[in-house]
Amino acid sequence: ETTPSRTLVPDDVGAYLRVKVRAHNADGWSPFVSSAMTAQITEPQAPVSTKLPSFSGTVREGETLTADVGEWSNNPTSFSYQWQRCNAQGASCSNIPGETANIRVITGGDVGNRLRVVVTAANAAGSSSAASPVSDVVAPQGAAPANTAPPAVGGDAEAGKTLMVSNGTWTNNPTSYA
């Protein structure tokens, strides 16, 4: 070939390639100069998850979750999504029919269960899937925060010293503390 680029073909697998280049000006042509050899040409590989997918948002009825594809090797060219509902222990996950977008509005049917998203990455060589970790248990809409670990006061209880408060741990995604 005599072009400055070349698309590799299946017959190239296992081979090593190099290029020879020469230059021209008004005084004539230079001799050919060879490049170093490429790495051995390999078969294309399907994507492989290198960082699990995840999602963000408040895990409560009526709220929206947004999927993140995570990280993949082998240059995926497309991604697809499947949201799943799992039991309260995070097991027995099954596809939620029709929930194949990267965002999902949590429904009343999700309350008391956990959710996750399965991302499938694809390229010309094939596809593979990876699932996000499961969510916390989905809370009903309007559920007030409930304490699961009490607040604490830290520091030296001495005049002139500053005490610091830890809010403790709460369910149902509090947005502020008083």
Side-chain angles (χ1 to χ4, degrees), residues 147-176:
N147 184 258
T148 58
V153 177
D156 294 328
E158 179 182 319
K161 300 282 184 169
T162 301
L163 297 177
M164 301 300 295
V165 174
S166 164
N167 292 323
T169 306
W170 300 80
T171 63
N172 302 325
N173 303 301
T175 56
S176 63

Side-chain angles (χ1 to χ4, degrees), residues 121-149:
N123 65 18
S127 65
S128 64
S129 300
S132 71
V134 296
S135 70
D136 291 334
V137 173
V138 175
Q141 192 170 30
N147 184 258
T148 58

Side-chain angles (χ1 to χ4, degrees), residues 11-59:
D11 285 346
D12 293 328
V13 172
Y16 299 85
L17 299 177
R18 72 173 169 210
V19 65
K20 290 182 177 184
V21 177
R22 67 181 181 164
H24 182 264
N25 65 19
D27 294 322
W29 287 96
S30 71
F32 281 101
V33 177
S34 295
S35 71
M37 294 291 246
T38 65
Q40 187 174 25
I41 309 302
T42 60
E43 289 279 348
Q45 301 292 312
V48 174
S49 174
T50 58
K51 179 181 174 190
L52 288 178
S54 62
F55 55 87
S56 59
T58 302
V59 185

Side-chain angles (χ1 to χ4, degrees), residues 73-98:
S73 65
N74 302 323
N75 304 309
T77 55
S78 67
F79 295 98
S80 60
Y81 307 87
Q82 177 62 64
W83 290 90
Q84 294 184 333
R85 185 178 295 126
C86 309
N87 65 21
Q89 291 72 40
S92 301
C93 301
S94 59
N95 292 347
I96 304 170

